[in-house]
Amino acid sequence: MKIYTVLAALLLTAVSLAQNISGQAFYESKTTVDMDAFGGGNREMSEEMKKMIMQRMKSYLEKTYILTFNSKESIYKEEVKLETGQGGGPMAMMMGSFTPGAQYKNIETGNMVEENEFFGKEFLVTDSVASLDWKLEKESKQIGQYVAFKATAIKKVDPNDFSMARPRRGVRGDRDKKTKDEQPEKSAKKDSISDDPMDNIEVPKEVTVTAWYTPQVPVGHGPGEYAGLPGLILELNVYRTTLLCSKIVMNPKEADKIEAPTKGKEVTREEYRKIVKEKTDEMRENFRGRGGRGGRGGGRGM
């Protein structure tokens, strides 16, 4: 009961501040990748090759973001756009496609708008703010100068979100075990290893999201698509990605305007997923045509 008493006191203290509140929260993002997932074929990837690919993918895996917010709206942007010219292979390319540009949320209307660039084309993706069934836990901890409380939820995963890819069951034997939180999409092939690395991975159907929020900043915002808790989300753990708030500036004199982005072709979330899937399928066909067993080179349309 002590935790709930503290939480109630913090909420009561914060209510009077919520009407005119504004601020900026800075987040450090880190994502880990299981490189054993991407060996492919009958070859084991060397440690040197893994390190080289990880270095090339670093710009996708380590980022800094700024969330500018008021009581109703927020805009979430990457602070520095790192160079990605080194590439990192098809997997890095696909992971990059799931790293959106500016994301705008209005938690009062429930609207969300985000910019995306996919294979040189710009899209304006319209959606609703994610409505997760948050479970408020008893645990609390200190994050900087703020008291943060734990909340968990189950999130369904887009089957084409390769940023969450892992080795397909059967590819690595006993080392690859299905967990309760990470139910995989069904795969047509279960036990064999393919020359196409995309055949050797799978995407979980759902994952557990763990958030730490503080009622001391009484807004329902959070990084990326996440929102809906009784306080600003300071830390977020989703599968292999962790976002940690490193600094909060309340009522900043200079901050980005909170406006919905307008750049790109307007599409719904479902329409955008279809575009990504079609392009992904095309890439796989081209890969098989150039380097797969029996390939004659060139792939379709070349």
Side-chain angles (χ1 to χ4, degrees):
M1 293 299 295
K2 184 177 180 181
I3 292 296
Y4 292 112
T5 301
V6 173
L7 178 56
L10 289 171
L11 285 170
L12 288 172
T13 302
V15 166
S16 61
L17 302 174
Q19 296 301 317
N20 300 312
I21 196 170
S22 66
Q24 286 186 304
F26 296 75
Y27 294 88
E28 302 294 330
S29 170
K30 288 191 176 182
T31 301
T32 60
V33 174
D34 185 354
M35 292 307 301
D36 289 334
F38 311 125
N42 297 315
R43 303 178 302 276
E44 286 291 332
M45 190 180 296
S46 69
E47 290 302 317
E48 287 186 6
M49 179 64 73
K50 292 178 185 178
K51 289 179 181 178
M52 182 182 72
I53 293 176
M54 286 296 291
Q55 184 61 36
R56 290 181 175 180
M57 293 174 65
K58 187 175 181 180
S59 62
Y60 296 108
L61 304 177
E62 297 181 11
K63 293 175 177 286
T64 302
Y65 295 93
I66 302 175
L67 177 71
T68 304
F69 60 86
N70 58 36
S71 60
K72 298 177 182 178
E73 301 170 287
S74 68
I75 189 79
Y76 183 69
K77 297 179 179 180
E78 186 178 350
E79 183 179 33
V80 178
K81 189 66 175 177
L82 299 177
E83 288 293 329
T84 59
Q86 287 184 312
M91 183 53 58
M93 190 179 298
M94 293 311 302
M95 289 181 66
S97 73
F98 284 89
T99 303
Q103 292 174 289
Y104 166 86
K105 297 194 297 288
N106 186 317
I107 57 176
E108 185 175 67
T109 64
N111 295 329
M112 178 174 175
V113 181
E114 70 180 35
E115 291 179 332
N116 275 291
E117 184 177 337
F118 186 60
F119 280 87
K121 294 184 179 180
E122 296 175 334
F123 297 93
L124 194 65
V125 182
T126 60
D127 200 357
S128 298
V129 176
S131 180
L132 296 179
D133 185 14
W134 291 107
K135 178 183 178 183
L136 305 186
E137 309 282 359
K138 295 181 180 180
E139 296 176 58
S140 68
K141 66 179 180 179
Q142 195 80 15
I143 298 180
Q145 66 187 60
Y146 299 94
V147 178
F149 295 86
K150 184 179 181 181
T152 57
I154 301 297
K155 173 190 174 182
K156 293 187 181 300
V157 179
D158 181 345
N160 293 301
D161 186 349
F162 294 104
S163 67
M164 294 193 182
R166 68 181 185 194
R168 175 171 54 80
R169 282 186 298 157
V171 171
R172 293 192 306 162
D174 293 338
R175 287 196 302 159
D176 181 22
K177 295 182 182 296
K178 180 177 69 175
T179 67
K180 179 180 178 182
D181 293 337
E182 302 160 2
Q183 297 300 318
E185 286 290 318
K186 291 183 178 179
S187 174
K189 301 178 181 179
K190 288 294 182 184
D191 299 313
S192 61
I193 295 178
S194 169
D195 280 334
D196 183 350
M198 303 296 281
D199 285 339
N200 301 323
I201 60 175
E202 61 187 5
V203 176
K205 282 186 177 180
E206 57 186 31
V207 293
T208 297
V209 178
T210 301
W212 295 86
Y213 65 95
T214 179
Q216 290 173 267
V217 185
V219 295
H221 297 295
E225 65 191 87
Y226 300 95
L229 285 167
L232 179 68
I233 297 174
L234 300 183
E235 182 178 328
L236 193 72
N237 298 283
V238 185
Y239 198 45
R240 293 192 176 103
T241 296
T242 296
L243 282 154
L244 180 62
C245 182
S246 59
K247 181 175 68 173
I248 296 177
V249 179
M250 298 304 299
N251 303 310
K253 292 182 180 180
E254 295 184 6
D256 290 341
K257 288 185 178 181
I258 303 177
E259 297 176 338
T262 58
K263 194 175 181 180
K265 177 183 177 181
E266 186 171 329
V267 293
T268 65
R269 179 70 65 188
E270 287 304 314
E271 288 171 337
Y272 185 66
R273 285 173 177 165
K274 183 179 179 181
I275 292 168
V276 171
K277 184 180 186 306
E278 289 175 350
K279 189 62 178 179
T280 303
D281 291 343
E282 179 185 334
M283 286 178 61
R284 296 184 69 182
E285 287 299 317
N286 288 338
F287 173 85
R288 287 169 176 151
R290 288 195 303 268
R293 293 175 182 172
R296 298 179 181 177
R300 290 190 306 176
M302 293 185 66

